[in-house]
Amino acid sequence: MASLRICVNLLESKGTAGSRFREAVEIVIEGFRAMVSGYKPGKTEAEIMAPAVEVYFARGAGPRPSRRVRPGGCAARTIKTGGCPAMKVALTGATGFIGSHVLTELLKRGHEVTALVRDDTQADTVAVRGATPAVVDLYDRPAVARLLGNADGAIHTASPGDATSADLDSAVADAATGAFAGTGKPYLHISGAWVYGNNTAITEDSRFRAPALVAWREPIERRVLSAAGMRGVVIVSGVAYGDGGGGIPGLLLGSPRDDTGRLIMLGTGQQHWSTVHAADLADFFRRVLEDESAHGRYVIGNGVNPTVAELTQAAAVAAGAPGAVPGSDDEARARLGDYFAEVLLVDQGTAATKARADLDWRPSHASLVDEFRHGSYRK
């Protein structure tokens, strides 16, 4: 299909009359001959297509993709990546909610993914999906660094979601900065908007007001961004949702109920949350990986910024509850503990202006409110 798309583009660009049409046909034939002559069993789609792609673009199939090859990057160009070099990518968290969406996006775009997983069960899961598994202890810095050394770039989305999260993030960041120092390779490190505390207009320049639960994040991210000779990028995500999954949507769906069966909101429900569909977030990770100009910190949200009241009322529809009622800060703390309740009670909003301007990122999926009411969370 990739070959066919190139042929169509070529014929459209050359026209359908006389010598120009014959020229187009000759180029198509030459490209297929180059592809066939270079074929060997075991080659990837990108490797098989590369000779034909070179012929097509050399002789006028359309604008040639950039010849810049990222440091250590694969020279093969694929149709799936839109002309970007296919990359060998190391990914942590590939079996998690966000990481699994990133894995899908990378494979869909023709990249080769090595998924760093903790056991054989996870290895089987990612292998079935098309990734190469590597069982490794992410706290083992030298072992992780060796695996990253074989990659053109790395993405870190893994998180245990408990008191060990800081140690894990620090270990992976150390391994990446060690493996990629002086190479210019990209390392993408996930973060969360909670680090900004109460702020309804968060940007990359906003001041950190991190609640205690996530106060450890910023010092580690600073190390990533300041690492010499590496393209360190921190991607700050709003609440991720989609495809019926995600921890925070699940928390809302499982909210306690009052005597009439209505869901009880977290706090008064007047606080706003920054949200983003996991597939849109994965699309942004891929854009950052492929674009050498992407650097620094990016705040990602779809710009909807619903209130918790709106979200809980919509969650009630999905859960089959008759509605939702305001709670209180004290009830939220009693339910979830002081630390977790604090981050869920913050009032936040994002617009992702930098992401849209730098990388033409445009979220395309339905909002979390719509997903609750009409989409993947409906029972």
Side-chain angles (χ1 to χ4, degrees):
M1 290 302 294
S3 303
L4 180 59
R5 283 196 298 272
I6 295 178
C7 296
V8 171
N9 290 341
L10 178 59
L11 292 171
E12 287 178 345
S13 69
K14 292 293 183 182
T16 57
S19 62
R20 292 170 67 83
F21 180 75
R22 287 194 297 273
E23 179 189 3
V25 172
E26 289 171 0
I27 296 172
V28 170
I29 294 172
E30 182 181 343
F32 273 104
R33 284 176 176 167
M35 182 175 67
V36 171
S37 65
Y39 174 78
K40 288 183 181 179
K43 281 189 173 184
T44 66
E45 177 188 359
E47 291 169 333
I48 294 170
M49 282 295 303
V53 172
E54 286 298 324
V55 170
Y56 295 152
F57 284 116
R59 295 196 56 186
R64 174 180 289 274
S66 170
R67 283 194 169 272
R68 293 181 305 163
V69 178
R70 293 166 181 78
C74 173
R77 295 167 182 81
T78 72
I79 302 306
K80 288 183 178 180
T81 59
C84 297
M87 300 176 70
K88 296 179 180 179
V89 185
L91 172 65
T92 74
T95 60
F97 179 59
I98 292 174
S100 64
H101 283 81
V102 173
L103 175 60
T104 296
E105 176 70 14
L106 294 176
L107 293 175
K108 180 175 69 175
R109 296 291 182 159
H111 297 295
E112 299 176 25
V113 181
T114 297
L116 281 57
V117 296
R118 67 170 177 264
D119 55 39
D120 290 339
T121 299
Q122 289 190 343
D124 291 342
T125 299
V126 299
V128 167
R129 297 189 57 198
T132 300
V135 178
V136 65
D137 180 357
L138 292 180
Y139 294 95
D140 187 340
R141 289 167 170 81
V144 173
R146 284 193 295 272
L147 286 169
L148 297 188
N150 296 322
D152 302 321
I155 298 175
H156 174 49
T157 68
S159 175
D162 57 26
T164 67
S165 296
D167 292 337
L168 182 75
D169 260 25
S170 184
V172 175
D174 286 347
T177 55
F180 289 172
T183 67
K185 293 179 180 181
Y187 169 64
L188 282 54
H189 187 98
I190 196 167
S191 184
W194 291 339
V195 296
Y196 293 104
N198 285 302
N199 187 340
T200 57
I202 297 170
T203 72
E204 288 75 14
D205 297 323
S206 294
R207 198 179 110 193
F208 293 98
R209 297 185 179 91
L213 185 70
V214 293
W216 52 269
R217 282 192 176 277
E218 195 274 331
I220 296 173
E221 294 162 8
R222 197 184 321 126
R223 296 206 318 260
V224 169
L225 296 176
S226 64
M230 177 185 82
R231 183 162 67 88
V233 183
V234 173
I235 297 176
V236 184
S237 173
V239 171
Y241 67 90
D243 300 321
I248 301 303
L251 181 70
L252 294 180
L253 290 168
S255 297
R257 304 192 182 203
D258 69 4
D259 293 340
T260 65
R262 294 177 294 179
L263 302 186
I264 300 174
M265 300 172 191
L266 287 162
T268 64
Q270 296 309 299
Q271 71 272 34
H272 298 79
W273 284 354
S274 169
T275 58
V276 61
H277 194 288
D280 287 326
L281 179 60
D283 172 75
F284 185 72
F285 268 95
R286 191 262 309 165
R287 288 169 184 263
V288 170
L289 181 77
E290 293 177 351
D291 194 321
E292 292 175 341
S293 69
H295 65 282
R297 186 181 298 272
Y298 287 92
V299 175
I300 299 300
N302 59 16
V304 178
N305 305 318
T307 65
V308 169
E310 292 170 330
L311 290 170
T312 314
Q313 288 161 356
V317 175
V325 295
S328 68
D329 291 2
D330 287 343
E331 188 279 330
R333 293 189 181 96
R335 188 198 319 178
L336 302 171
D338 290 342
Y339 287 165
F340 194 22
E342 184 181 14
V343 298
L344 296 174
L345 293 171
V346 296
D347 189 22
Q348 294 191 321
T350 63
T353 302
K354 180 183 176 186
R356 296 169 188 266
D358 287 5
L359 297 169
D360 196 30
W361 180 70
R362 297 289 185 271
S364 61
H365 289 76
S367 70
L368 180 50
V369 168
D370 286 341
E371 283 281 348
F372 275 144
R373 290 188 178 276
H374 311 293
S376 58
Y377 295 94
R378 291 294 298 270
K379 285 186 176 180

